[in-house]
Amino acid sequence: RDIARAAIEGLERFFPDTALAVFSYDAKADEFVLEGYNAAAEPIAMLKGMTVGDRVDAKRFRFLDELKRGICIKLDDLAQLSIPTAESLVKVGFRSAILCPLASGGELMGVIHAGWKEPKALNDEGCLLEDLRDHFAIAFHNANLLTNLQRAYEELKETQAMLVQQERLWVLGQMASGIVHDVNNALVPIVASLEILSDHPDAEVKEWARRGKMAVDDLTQTINRLRVFYQKQTSQMEMESVDLNEMVEQVVNLTRPRWFDQAQREGVTIDLVTDLDETMPAIAGIGAEIREALVNLVFNAVDAIVQKAESKGQKEEDERQKSGEHGTIVVRTGWRDGWAVLEVQDSGIGMDEKTKLRCLEPFFTTKNERGSGLGLAMVYGIMQRHDGKIEIESELGEGSTFRLLFPLRTAEQKERAEEWEGSVPPLRVLLVDDDPRSREAVAEMLVHLGHKVTGAGGSEEGLAKFEAALERGEPFDLVVTDLGMPKVTSEEFIQSVKALSSMTPVIVMTGWGKESQPAIADAGLSKPVHLRDLSEVIAQLWQRSV
């Protein structure tokens, strides 16, 4: 547009009484765009009802093919042409015109339109305009190159930012994985001791054990939220049929104390509105995880509205109560292009671009001491495992929208197994774990359940003891092994055990969650191992063998 303005100003010095207009050509849309015109051409623009920036379908140009071939169109007497455009020009006093294409490398980039009030006014003027058009074409070409370069640069910046974000999330996920594994391993002896003490005859000891277990359970829940961030979907995860509309209603009721009661105590009235698509089909998913993700998004929306209210001036609490600070949360469901959509929109404080880029990182929070920075990271992990996507729209001071997209697929129906009422006899158990504290703790739990335990500090030692027991004619009834083993991996160890005795069941313990167990294992247990879970898994395996 700046080039068009400069071209018109320059041409007016050569053609002072000439109507001039410059159009650019949008090849993709096949349209001409009016980029500028002078005062002499204003009557034509008014007649056509056009202004700078307006578009014209290129098919309306009678001489389009010639223009695309770089041919100038000279019209000596418009009165002798029976075409609508010529008739319109004659009406406002113009008798001759020229259309000069701006082209470079065979590519049409625009047109200069010049009109005169006298017929046959295209002698020297026409030749000069044809000479000058090449200079304008080069300028148009350079401007297009610069525009394309800027667009490519912006796209590259966006791609780089996305890649950096994905890499950061991956690195943080690996860090979270290590933390989860080490902490869960450290909790094994604590949990084992507390659960064994729960059966102590002394009531005071039982009470102390109960309190300790509660504290450990809270810590385990926090650690497992980290595991949710990096954990990938596996075949071990059981998908169920999830009705998102029904889930929204559950979450609205579940979170009401936070968005209604507690928010009002903080001086803010929040309306939570649902907009549910009744045509939504059920999807395959892990209901508890999707529910937790939605709860987190609602809580975040509440916090954002409260933060916005707190940021409005320096009012005292009672003054803010009187002012009636108000916010809205809208929870929507819908579906589009093969995706089920679950959306939470709030009128809260919103986010700037920097915050929006980092909001999914674990431990990143804008809530100071009120936030752990794990909520949205957990939502990200859940969507990863559901092969879903997260869309975030936010503007500082204007609120945020978090949109969860789930693939539209159905869950396989599985038959429920009948509950077994038998009992498990004392078993010979081989326990393999390179962490002595964890090994001793799990051994105590197995002994507490009535089994005879032989320990091994690694896969090689465990395999040697397994072979020796077979040779003595006293084979182990069960093998329990840790997942992360040095030298010989747990998967290699299990393959060796199965090669020697295919019917011997193997349980894998892991600090990364039982979903990480090798497919060759018969069962999995998450660390820290709980007495009840250990007992139930052994019972299930024994039931299969009898």
Side-chain angles (χ1 to χ4, degrees):
R1 198 156 294 175
D2 291 337
I3 296 171
R5 189 180 301 114
I8 291 169
E9 290 174 358
L11 289 171
E12 281 185 316
R13 291 197 293 270
F14 293 99
F15 314 120
D17 298 320
T18 303
L20 297 165
V22 178
F23 292 83
S24 64
Y25 177 63
D26 183 347
K28 188 174 182 180
D30 198 23
E31 293 176 334
F32 286 101
V33 183
L34 179 59
E35 302 292 359
Y37 58 89
N38 65 354
E42 191 167 346
I44 305 173
M46 292 179 64
L47 179 67
K48 295 290 186 180
M50 293 186 67
T51 186
V52 173
D54 285 352
R55 290 173 169 263
V56 182
D57 187 348
K59 295 181 181 64
R60 293 173 57 185
F61 278 65
R62 180 173 180 177
F63 306 104
L64 179 62
D65 291 338
E66 291 88 341
L67 293 173
K68 286 185 175 181
R69 294 201 302 270
I71 301 173
C72 279
I73 309 300
K74 298 178 182 179
L75 306 174
D76 288 329
D77 193 346
L78 296 171
Q80 295 180 4
L81 298 176
S82 58
I83 56 176
T85 301
E87 293 171 357
S88 300
L89 291 172
V90 171
K91 282 183 181 179
V92 290
F94 291 90
R95 292 292 301 276
S96 57
I98 185 171
L99 301 176
C100 277
L102 302 177
S104 177
E107 179 185 355
L108 180 65
M109 288 176 294
V111 175
I112 296 178
H113 186 292
W116 292 269
K117 294 188 177 181
E118 301 83 14
K120 300 182 179 179
L122 307 174
N123 297 321
D124 296 339
E125 290 89 341
C127 294
L128 180 59
L129 191 57
E130 286 189 69
D131 291 339
L132 291 173
R133 66 170 180 158
D134 291 336
H135 299 284
F136 298 139
I138 292 171
F140 262 54
H141 179 66
N142 290 338
N144 280 338
L145 288 177
L146 180 59
T147 300
N148 292 335
L149 180 62
Q150 289 174 331
R151 185 181 297 115
Y153 177 67
E154 291 300 322
E155 291 175 355
L156 178 62
K157 279 178 62 178
E158 291 177 5
T159 302
Q160 287 177 329
M162 183 176 66
L163 289 174
V164 169
Q165 172 73 349
Q166 291 294 329
E167 182 68 17
R168 183 185 291 120
L169 290 172
W170 182 85
V171 170
L172 290 170
Q174 297 305 302
M175 180 192 72
S177 171
I179 292 173
V180 168
H181 177 267
D182 292 346
V183 172
N184 280 334
N185 264 339
L187 287 175
V188 171
I190 299 173
V191 171
S193 300
L194 291 172
E195 295 204 335
I196 291 173
L197 286 174
S198 295
D199 291 334
H200 197 278
D202 189 312
E204 188 174 359
V205 173
K206 278 187 174 182
E207 177 59 22
W208 281 109
R210 186 188 67 81
R211 294 180 187 179
K213 283 173 62 180
M214 287 177 58
V216 170
D217 287 344
D218 290 344
L219 177 58
T220 302
Q221 186 175 6
T222 301
I223 291 298
N224 283 339
R225 291 180 71 185
L226 272 179
R227 180 163 63 84
V228 160
F229 170 67
Y230 68 80
Q231 177 188 0
K232 304 300 181 185
Q233 181 180 340
T234 72
S235 59
Q236 302 292 328
M237 295 182 176
E238 291 190 7
M239 294 286 182
E240 56 188 316
S241 182
V242 179
D243 184 332
L244 292 180
N245 287 340
E246 183 179 331
M247 181 166 290
V248 168
E249 299 291 355
Q250 292 173 356
V251 170
V252 168
N253 293 326
L254 182 66
T255 58
R256 182 180 177 85
R258 179 71 185 93
W259 59 262
F260 185 78
D261 301 326
Q262 188 175 343
Q264 282 195 341
R265 288 197 297 271
E266 296 176 18
V268 182
T269 300
I270 296 178
D271 292 331
L272 197 155
V273 181
T274 59
D275 181 9
L276 307 181
D277 185 345
E278 298 300 333
T279 66
M280 271 284 295
I283 64 168
I286 305 169
E289 288 194 355
I290 298 176
R291 187 179 300 105
E292 188 170 359
L294 183 55
V295 167
N296 268 280
L297 292 182
V298 171
F299 282 173
N300 272 7
V302 173
D303 291 339
I305 292 171
V306 172
Q307 280 183 284
K308 185 176 182 179
E310 291 174 344
S311 68
K312 287 185 178 179
Q314 300 297 321
K315 299 177 182 179
E316 295 295 331
E317 182 68 23
D318 57 342
E319 291 177 340
R320 205 173 63 211
Q321 289 273 9
K322 294 176 184 177
S323 70
E325 295 294 343
H326 182 268
T328 303
I329 300 172
V330 181
V331 184
R332 294 188 180 91
T333 61
W335 53 300
R336 71 175 195 221
D337 302 328
W339 297 92
V341 182
L342 181 57
E343 180 179 293
V344 178
Q345 180 182 12
D346 67 69
S347 60
I349 196 166
M351 297 179 286
D352 57 24
E353 285 300 316
K354 183 178 179 181
T355 303
K356 190 163 68 171
L357 281 173
R358 297 195 60 195
C359 67
L360 298 179
E361 295 178 11
F363 308 117
F364 178 80
T365 180
T366 59
K367 303 176 188 177
N368 300 321
E369 70 280 357
R370 291 190 301 183
S372 66
L374 292 177
L376 289 179
M378 179 273 297
V379 174
Y380 171 82
I382 287 173
M383 297 311 295
Q384 288 289 97
R385 282 193 306 287
H386 282 80
D387 298 324
K389 298 186 289 187
I390 302 179
E391 294 179 352
I392 303 173
E393 297 174 7
S394 187
E395 186 175 342
L396 195 61
E398 300 298 327
S400 302
T401 299
F402 285 83
R403 195 173 294 114
L404 308 183
L405 283 78
F406 299 89
L408 277 175
R409 55 192 181 192
T410 56
E412 295 181 5
Q413 298 295 326
K414 295 185 178 180
E415 296 182 2
R416 293 186 59 185
E418 295 183 6
E419 190 173 342
W420 187 55
E421 297 181 356
S423 60
V424 180
L427 305 177
R428 288 186 295 271
V429 182
L430 175 62
L431 175 61
V432 185
D433 196 330
D434 60 312
D435 186 331
R437 295 173 304 173
S438 176
R439 187 172 66 249
E440 291 169 7
V442 176
E444 286 291 334
M445 298 174 81
L446 288 165
V447 170
H448 186 74
L449 292 173
H451 305 300
K452 182 179 179 181
V453 182
T454 299
S459 296
E460 291 178 333
E461 182 186 350
L463 190 58
K465 290 185 176 182
F466 189 82
E467 288 181 297
L470 284 174
E471 291 174 0
R472 293 195 308 269
E474 298 176 347
F476 290 104
D477 302 306
L478 174 67
V479 176
V480 180
T481 180
D482 186 34
L483 176 63
M485 302 290 286
K487 296 182 180 178
V488 180
T489 67
S490 62
E491 188 163 2
E492 292 170 336
F493 169 72
I494 297 170
Q495 288 173 344
S496 298
V497 168
K498 292 293 186 180
L500 293 168
S501 176
S502 61
M503 300 304 294
T504 303
V506 180
I507 299 173
V508 172
M509 304 180 298
T510 171
W512 289 293
K514 66 179 182 179
E515 295 84 6
S516 304
Q517 74 176 59
I520 195 173
D522 296 282
L525 284 170
S526 295
K527 286 185 175 180
V529 177
H530 291 271
L531 192 63
R532 179 176 177 178
D533 294 338
L534 180 60
S535 175
E536 288 180 353
V537 168
I538 292 174
Q540 289 169 5
L541 293 176
W542 181 255
Q543 178 190 1
R544 294 179 200 169
S545 65
V546 295

